Amino acid sequence: NIVGDLFFVVVLKTGVKGAAIATVLAQIIAFVICWIYMIKRYELLRLSWDDFKEAQPQMIQSMLSAGLSMGFMSSLINIGSLTLQTAINKLGQNIIVAHTAARKISEMFMIMFTVFGQTMATYCGQNLGAGKYERIRKGILTSILMGWVWCVLCVITSYTIVPAFVKMLISSDNRNVIDTATLYLRVDSLLYFVTAMITIIRNSLQGIGDRLTPIISSGIELAGKVVITFTLVPLMGYWGVIVSEPIVWVLMVIPLIVQLIKNPAFARGKNN
């Protein structure tokens, strides 16, 4: 995608249209390569018409339930972010540019959390089916620990070379923009430890059959961002935006931790 963006936008100078084309092409090429690799490397994953005829209604229902739950959860998260963005758009051009750059870097930092979360959803589901509850408990705790190690690296980066990253993204020496984006990252990165727990636990609960708690947690995020948009941001300006996510993260993680501890699969892992 990055190579495509550079080619279409920088070389061919096609602007936003080129970026869109590059993104779609990158996704198509990635899909084809992954599909070919899967077919050639893993015989178990080669599909035939018989595989679709043998699908069991109970299995379809279970997969549909998990998919809809995850999709609804993601929708709530994105709606909350859009709501907060409406408040940011009223704070001026410099703030918008700074926040956009900061969010790009923040998304790069959080890619690892997403990977851990997706991995744990599959890992927990497989071990639940196998009845290996001790592996579920150990896997979740180990994943959180690895996530925290990554958080330490993110904090170190935020307090050292992040200004250079921001300057590179905005292609400008605007000190106000660079300092604002850096402030956002330095404050929020200190709470990435909570974000790592949210992503890992939320997906793990999905994997062990808890469809409701992750949605409730995402609903808290949506509600929190809506409230902050109309309260803290008008009172505190961009500082309201900076503290919004840490506040929401702390509120979100509470029901997730409580339900994880109460979940039979996680609790039984301790006894084994």
Side-chain angles (χ1 to χ4, degrees):
N1 195 6
I2 294 175
V3 174
D5 284 344
L6 290 174
F7 178 74
F8 279 95
V9 178
V10 178
V11 179
L12 299 183
K13 301 186 184 303
T14 52
V16 176
K17 181 180 179 181
I21 294 173
T23 299
V24 174
L25 283 177
Q27 292 173 341
I28 293 174
I29 293 171
F31 168 77
V32 172
I33 292 174
C34 291
W35 183 266
I36 294 173
Y37 181 83
M38 180 186 76
I39 296 299
K40 288 191 173 183
R41 185 71 181 269
Y42 300 102
E43 184 177 353
L44 180 66
L45 298 178
R46 296 173 188 170
L47 297 176
S48 66
W49 180 246
D50 291 335
D51 295 319
F52 295 96
K53 291 192 295 184
E54 295 174 1
Q56 301 174 358
Q58 184 178 359
M59 181 179 65
I60 295 175
Q61 181 180 356
S62 177
M63 294 174 64
L64 187 62
S65 174
L68 290 175
S69 177
M70 289 185 172
F72 189 52
M73 179 181 70
S74 298
S75 297
L76 292 175
I77 295 171
N78 290 325
I79 292 172
S81 298
L82 287 173
T83 303
L84 187 61
Q85 186 65 46
T86 60
I88 296 170
N89 291 341
K90 299 177 183 178
L91 298 178
Q93 182 176 346
N94 281 347
I95 296 296
I96 294 173
V97 174
H99 186 75
T100 301
R103 284 302 303 172
K104 290 292 184 183
I105 297 173
S106 179
E107 288 169 4
M108 290 172 58
F109 286 159
M110 292 187 181
I111 286 176
M112 193 64 72
F113 304 151
T114 303
V115 171
F116 280 135
Q118 293 173 345
T119 300
M120 290 311 299
T122 304
Y123 177 87
C124 289
Q126 290 174 338
N127 284 283
L128 178 68
K132 297 181 178 180
Y133 305 109
E134 74 286 353
R135 287 175 57 85
I136 293 175
R137 184 183 184 90
K138 185 177 180 181
I140 293 174
L141 297 177
T142 302
S143 183
I144 291 174
L145 180 60
M146 290 190 293
W148 283 353
V149 172
W150 177 254
C151 291
V152 172
L153 297 177
C154 291
V155 172
I156 293 173
T157 303
S158 296
Y159 281 83
T160 53
I161 59 176
V162 147
F165 285 169
V166 175
K167 182 179 178 180
M168 181 175 63
L169 280 174
I170 66 175
S171 301
S172 169
D173 292 321
N174 189 320
R175 198 70 248 171
N176 185 26
V177 172
I178 295 173
D179 290 345
T180 301
T182 301
L183 176 64
Y184 173 91
L185 289 163
R186 287 180 175 175
V187 173
D188 280 22
S189 64
L190 296 175
L191 272 292
Y192 280 177
F193 299 93
V194 180
T195 311
M197 293 179 65
I198 290 171
T199 309
I200 292 168
I201 296 175
R202 188 162 55 188
N203 283 276
S204 296
L205 287 172
Q206 292 274 8
I208 53 181
D210 187 341
R211 313 287 189 231
L212 182 60
T213 304
I215 293 178
I216 293 174
S217 177
S218 301
I220 292 174
E221 178 176 4
L222 171 59
K225 287 184 176 179
V226 169
V227 170
I228 288 168
T229 297
F230 296 103
T231 55
L232 288 186
V233 177
L235 291 173
M236 302 172 61
Y238 191 61
W239 262 106
V241 177
I242 292 174
V243 302
S244 64
E245 289 188 319
I247 292 173
V248 170
W249 291 339
V250 172
L251 295 176
M252 289 172 64
V253 80
I254 295 173
L256 292 173
I257 293 175
V258 171
Q259 288 303 115
L260 178 65
I261 293 173
K262 292 169 58 178
N263 190 280
F266 184 80
R268 290 173 66 178
K270 183 177 182 181
N271 297 329
N272 292 340

